[in-house]
Amino acid sequence: PICAAFLFLGISYGFYICSKGFSPWYPFFTSALVFAGSMEFVLVTMLLSPFNPLYCFFMALMINSRHLFYGLSMLYKNTGLKKFYLIFGMCDESFAINCNTVIPEGIDKGYFMVCVNLLNQIYWVAGATIGGLLGNSLQINTKGLDFALVALFTAIFVSQWQSTENHTPAVLGIVIPLLCLVLIGPQSFIPPAMLLLLLVFITAYYKGGIKL
């Protein structure tokens, strides 16, 4: 199931980045070296925009901040040098498998988790590469493909909304960026919005006002 999903999304990503004029090598290298799912879709916009490291930093932090909590719950004890790849290659699906699988006796836990991470990364890289090659070679009208990014984040938002009872963080995630958009403007509202969200969530967490 993960292979099917990753291939489909990866192909969509490959088509998307090539539709913006990038070489088919870009989806291969970005999927292999970045390997951050939805962040890779946002990366396309970043590559087409004036270089803004602060914007890139806060955007990547907010999109992938959940991995901080994944890492704290895993810790990867007694895995030696394998720990470095386990940290780099962790994604939602790999975390779910590695966290919940009861590994039989005699099987090295570190190697098991490395294989899970590696297989999932291979699925994603393969899908992105196929999409890049097809998108570059086939004469397909890709107008409107930008909607794939909107649809992806909409699906993630709806899934998160349905899976939690407390919708306050989700509401804040909409209201605060909208306020920053109105007050600051569309060109530079994202870094302040991301920073403000981060401060609000950290403060709420320590004061117990919002259960994140």
Side-chain angles (χ1 to χ4, degrees):
I2 294 174
C3 177
F6 273 25
L7 284 176
F8 176 78
L9 287 172
I11 290 172
S12 300
Y13 169 66
F15 269 108
Y16 176 61
I17 191 171
C18 285
S19 73
K20 295 300 182 180
F22 289 97
S23 160
W25 286 107
Y26 271 79
F28 170 75
F29 282 112
T30 55
S31 60
L33 300 176
V34 179
F35 190 48
S38 53
M39 183 62 210
E40 291 177 43
F41 282 87
V42 179
L43 179 64
V44 179
T45 304
M46 293 179 177
L47 291 172
L48 293 171
S49 305
F51 181 58
N52 188 335
L54 187 63
Y55 168 85
C56 296
F57 172 78
F58 280 112
M59 182 63 75
L61 178 64
M62 294 306 297
I63 291 177
N64 295 305
S65 58
R66 65 190 184 281
H67 290 182
L68 297 172
F69 301 97
Y70 291 171
L72 287 173
S73 62
M74 293 296 293
L75 291 179
Y76 299 122
K77 295 179 180 177
N78 303 319
T79 54
L81 293 176
K82 296 186 287 292
K83 176 187 293 188
F84 295 102
Y85 177 71
L86 291 172
I87 293 170
F88 163 77
M90 182 174 61
C91 61
D92 298 356
E93 292 76 10
S94 296
F95 171 78
I97 295 173
N98 289 332
C99 189
N100 294 305
T101 301
V102 178
I103 301 173
E105 256 185 76
I107 302 296
D108 185 278
K109 183 177 180 180
Y111 280 117
F112 174 87
M113 292 191 292
V114 164
C115 289
V116 171
N117 284 23
L118 184 60
L119 280 172
N120 286 336
Q121 186 174 13
I122 288 172
Y123 303 151
W124 178 254
V125 173
T129 303
I130 292 169
L133 292 173
L134 292 177
N136 191 63
S137 59
L138 298 180
Q139 298 300 317
I140 299 175
N141 183 5
T142 57
K143 185 178 180 181
L145 193 61
D146 295 17
F147 182 73
L149 182 59
V150 179
L152 175 65
F153 280 102
T154 301
I156 293 173
F157 178 84
V158 172
S159 175
Q160 293 290 334
W161 182 280
Q162 292 177 338
S163 63
T164 58
E165 295 181 359
N166 182 15
H167 301 313
T168 303
V171 173
L172 288 173
I174 295 175
V175 172
I176 291 178
L178 284 177
L179 287 175
C180 290
L181 175 62
V182 172
L183 296 174
I184 301 173
Q187 299 301 321
S188 55
F189 80 98
I190 291 183
M194 298 295 100
L195 181 59
L196 187 56
L197 280 168
L198 188 62
L199 292 174
V200 168
F201 289 148
I202 290 175
T203 303
Y205 176 78
Y206 281 107
K207 289 191 174 182
I210 299 177
K211 186 178 180 182
L212 300 176

